[in-house]
Amino acid sequence: MAVSDEQLKALKEKAKRIRIDILKMLTDCGSGHTGGSLSAADIATALYFYKMKYDPKKPDWKGRDNFILSKGHAAPLLYTVLAHAGFIEKSELCTLRKLGSRLQGHPDSKYLPGVEISTGSLGQGLSVANGVALAHKLDRVPNRVYALLGDGELQEGQVWEAAMTAAHYKLDNLCALVDNNGLQIDGPVAQVMGVEPIADKWRAFGWEVMDIDGHDLGAIAAALDRAETVKGKPTMIVCRTVKGKGSKVFEGKVEFHGTTPSKEELAIATKELEEGVCK
Ligand SMILES: Cc1ncc(C[n+]2csc(CCOP(=O)(O)OP(=O)(O)O)c2C)c(N)n1
């Protein structure tokens, strides 16, 4: 299956809408993670609107593929994607981080349909993904499992235990993606604790590895297609991204890791996104 020009156009439009909705909800709320939600917006768009099987009306449908947002602080992205996919109403997005809301600062699987597992403590998602993928193998079902990690998150030791486990159990129904935006909470990943060469490390751990532009929806779709053909080992897609992607207001600015736009910044960013200023 290859992505058509028409599909690609629709995916680009969807990613744009998702970015604008993320920024609106974050501006409204006044707290939350901007940079890492925007950097992974194209990845999540390709997963939810090109590749994954799910039924928003039956979030627990047994035939679904599973998405695990290991970098749980990108909750605004997940909530927006779930709203666009029909799991929740778009009007609920404005309840982000409010007392009693289902949309807490980090995703809570107990309250929100479509969230497979509560995340936020970095380093744990891939281990969970392994368990789900192994269960699908034991059940002899074709469901696939996707896990999204941050590059700063790769500093967590548990990630590498999970990397070994997935290869050991030959989890070819598992596809992990790393949002390789080069920044973490308080500086460049390379300065805090370097994780490069990311692709070589995963290869050495026995994974099939692809290295792509994480904002090229055609490349993401093609990589996800190819991952399905890999046999006997898990796949890692290293997605080279820009933190804060979509507007010059946020791009490459570490201070927007956990701060939200002002109303003025929202207006500028929305205009830039509408006009496609950032390619
Ligand atoms: C175990 C753990 N330690 C620290 C944090 C605090 N924290 C939240 S986001 C973040 C930076 C993560 O960087 P990265 O994975 O590169 O995320 P991205 O840049 O894509 O947002 C940190 C340290 C956490 N959530 N969990």
Side-chain angles (χ1 to χ4, degrees), residues 20-268:
I20 291 172
D21 285 347
I22 289 170
L23 290 171
K24 273 191 202 153
M25 80 191 291
L26 283 167
T27 307
D28 244 30
C29 173
S31 78
H33 293 84
T34 305
S37 292
L38 294 175
S39 61
D42 299 301
I43 300 167
T45 299
L47 281 168
Y48 274 85
F49 302 101
Y50 174 71
K51 183 46 64 187
M52 283 180 20
K53 293 189 190 73
Y54 56 84
D55 180 350
K57 300 292 163 237
K58 290 187 203 136
D60 295 331
W61 172 50
K62 289 247 181 293
R64 75 189 185 280
D65 294 330
N66 312 97
F67 174 67
I68 289 160
L69 180 68
S70 192
K71 44 169 276 183
H73 57 280
L77 168 63
L78 181 59
Y79 299 151
T80 307
V81 167
L82 290 178
H84 278 257
F87 287 87
I88 59 173
E89 294 295 327
K90 282 196 188 154
S91 56
E92 193 171 350
L93 293 178
C94 64
T95 70
L96 178 69
R97 288 182 173 230
K98 298 224 164 84
L99 198 63
S101 165
R102 302 192 294 177
L103 310 191
Q104 287 304 305
H106 295 78
D108 191 328
S109 57
K110 198 168 158 194
Y111 298 109
L112 196 64
V115 175
E116 296 281 1
I117 181 84
S118 301
T119 50
S121 185
L122 294 167
Q124 300 177 351
L126 191 59
S127 303
V128 177
N130 280 345
V132 180
L134 194 52
H136 290 327
K137 289 243 165 224
L138 293 171
D139 288 343
R140 297 179 192 282
V141 292
N143 314 46
R144 291 187 60 77
V145 182
Y146 297 93
L148 178 60
L149 288 78
D151 50 4
E153 184 180 8
L154 299 185
Q155 294 158 351
E156 296 286 345
Q158 186 176 342
V159 171
W160 302 99
E161 294 179 35
M164 272 188 284
T165 305
H168 177 83
Y169 287 104
K170 302 184 175 23
L171 299 179
D172 51 17
N173 54 348
L174 171 67
C175 175
L177 303 103
V178 64
D179 179 4
N180 188 193
N181 60 37
L183 294 175
Q184 54 184 100
I185 195 167
D186 47 9
V189 176
Q191 275 175 28
V192 177
M193 185 161 64
V195 294
E196 293 290 351
I198 296 176
D200 289 348
K201 282 181 178 148
W202 289 88
R203 241 174 241 123
F205 272 75
W207 288 55
E208 180 70 19
V209 179
M210 290 175 244
D211 191 338
I212 62 164
D213 175 346
H215 299 306
D216 179 341
L217 280 155
I220 306 168
L224 291 171
D225 285 346
R226 187 155 94 69
E228 283 180 328
T229 68
V230 173
K231 298 289 167 226
K233 54 181 169 175
T235 295
M236 165 57 83
I237 306 175
V238 180
C239 302
R240 276 172 282 107
T241 55
V242 174
K243 199 151 175 171
K245 178 72 181 176
S247 163
K248 297 282 178 242
V249 177
F250 318 109
E251 285 191 1
K253 294 190 184 161
V254 74
E255 58 271 32
F256 273 107
H257 171 83
T259 39
T260 54
S262 64
K263 287 210 169 80
E264 294 70 33
E265 286 164 337
L266 172 68
I268 298 168

